[in-house]
Amino acid sequence: MLFVKELHIVLLDIYRYKMRLFIWFFCYLLCILYLVKESIPQQGQGIMGIPQSLNLFFSSYTFIFPVLPLFLMFFSFGFVPFFDSSRFVRYQKRERVFLSLLLRVFWICLIFTLIYLIGGFLLGGFLSGRWDNVWLSTKGSPYLIYGDQLPLDEYFSSNIMLMRYLITSLLAFYLIGLFVVVCYLLSKNYIYSFIIISSAVILDKMLNIYFGFSFINDSLSLEMTSWLIPGLFSRMIYLFSGFGLLFTFLAYKIFIKQDFLNEYGNDHEKEC
């Protein structure tokens, strides 16, 4: 089955970069540790807990740094090896190659999302000493801010929070992964793709600051107040899905016109 087979190949490709992966994990732990420490509330804002650490992990203020660089670096470990010319010979049909590429992007994004969530959960729990959902208690920030005005179980239950964190982050990273595919197919250089993606997200942040308009940063944010906005979650899914289909179409139109053996075979050797 191609779906499972591609996961196996992705894991093997990522493992090829053992030294880079080790350095990446070290940077990842430092960044997550920094975010958790930054999320420790000031006196009077509630007790520290896992929800408050994840609240900052999915903030629009932390997406440009360190989340996006961490994701793009990790994405390269599984993405760049795909363009080895020998693989195009094995897959033969371009449509099958493109489907394999989409599956690869999905698996890389899912792996990163799980690593990010699990890392935040573990460090948030160890540093705070709280493994329960403190936002459901009277000592949590939602209760201290809104009091009895909100049914905490309805807005901040663990199941709802986990589902939204997982779906939102996976869709956002998959959308960015598809954007990377488009940029890489056009530039044939991952460094250029890294710069283009980072610039686009920074521009999106500037639009959000100065004009209150954002495609990525604002939609990604799952800060405490965003859970209370009706329909925000469904709008985010429609937005990311729509742009995902657009990037998929663009990637396919560019992909079928590429000369894989000559262009990507040489380019892959240089980047690796």
Side-chain angles (χ1 to χ4, degrees):
M1 187 177 178
L2 184 61
F3 187 74
V4 178
K5 182 179 179 181
E6 193 58 43
L7 172 61
H8 177 70
I9 299 175
V10 167
L11 294 176
L12 291 178
D13 284 339
I14 293 176
Y15 184 72
R16 287 171 53 187
Y17 296 94
K18 293 187 291 292
M19 183 55 65
R20 297 183 190 180
L21 193 62
F22 175 79
I23 297 174
W24 181 87
F25 265 107
F26 180 74
C27 295
Y28 160 78
L29 290 175
L30 289 179
C31 290
I32 297 299
L33 185 62
Y34 164 77
L35 291 179
V36 171
K37 286 186 174 295
E38 284 294 310
S39 67
I40 297 177
Q42 299 296 325
Q43 185 177 5
Q45 292 184 340
I47 56 177
M48 172 66 179
I50 293 172
Q52 278 177 310
S53 64
L54 293 178
N55 179 49
L56 188 65
F57 289 178
F58 291 91
S59 167
S60 60
Y61 297 100
T62 60
F63 184 62
I64 295 178
F65 182 83
V67 179
L68 182 63
L70 283 173
F71 170 72
L72 292 177
M73 285 188 289
F74 184 82
F75 191 83
S76 67
F77 300 151
F79 176 72
V80 175
F82 178 83
F83 292 89
D84 189 332
S85 57
S86 62
R87 305 192 182 196
F88 299 125
V89 175
R90 182 174 68 246
Y91 287 118
Q92 296 182 348
K93 293 184 178 181
R94 290 176 182 264
E95 291 78 9
R96 184 177 176 85
V97 177
F98 185 73
L99 177 59
S100 178
L101 176 59
L102 293 181
L103 292 176
R104 172 168 294 240
V105 172
F106 170 79
W107 281 123
I108 297 173
C109 294
L110 179 60
I111 293 171
F112 177 84
T113 300
L114 294 177
I115 291 175
Y116 189 58
L117 286 173
I118 292 173
F121 178 85
L122 292 177
L123 286 177
F126 281 124
L127 290 180
S128 67
R130 296 291 301 261
W131 295 93
D132 57 325
N133 186 351
V134 296
W135 279 4
L136 296 180
S137 70
T138 57
K139 296 181 179 180
S141 296
Y143 184 84
L144 295 180
I145 295 175
Y146 300 104
D148 294 326
Q149 302 176 42
L150 290 179
L152 298 180
D153 289 336
E154 179 179 343
Y155 289 99
F156 302 110
S157 70
S158 300
N159 293 335
I160 293 177
M161 292 179 67
L162 178 60
M163 180 191 70
R164 289 189 63 175
Y165 279 131
L166 181 61
I167 295 177
T168 301
S169 55
L170 180 57
L171 283 176
F173 292 136
Y174 189 71
L175 176 63
I176 295 173
L178 291 175
F179 194 15
V180 172
V181 173
V182 173
C183 295
Y184 186 82
L185 290 175
L186 291 173
S187 66
K188 302 178 180 64
N189 189 302
Y190 195 81
I191 299 300
Y192 294 158
S193 304
F194 189 103
I195 296 174
I196 293 172
I197 301 297
S198 300
S199 301
V201 174
I202 293 175
L203 176 61
D204 181 84
K205 182 61 177 179
M206 292 176 62
L207 290 174
N208 188 26
I209 293 175
Y210 292 107
F211 302 102
F213 180 75
S214 170
F215 286 111
I216 301 175
N217 286 276
D218 197 42
S219 299
L220 177 74
S221 176
L222 278 179
E223 298 167 342
M224 184 176 65
T225 53
S226 68
W227 297 83
L228 307 177
I229 303 176
L232 179 64
F233 183 56
S234 59
R235 290 200 302 269
M236 177 275 301
I237 293 179
Y238 294 143
L239 178 65
F240 285 174
S241 299
F243 274 95
L245 291 175
L246 175 61
F247 289 152
T248 301
F249 174 77
L250 292 176
Y252 179 75
K253 297 298 290 185
I254 301 171
F255 189 83
I256 60 176
K257 298 179 180 179
Q258 300 293 315
D259 185 358
F260 303 114
L261 297 180
N262 294 328
E263 296 179 358
Y264 289 101
N266 297 330
D267 181 67
H268 174 76
E269 292 175 1
K270 293 178 182 179
E271 296 195 34
C272 294

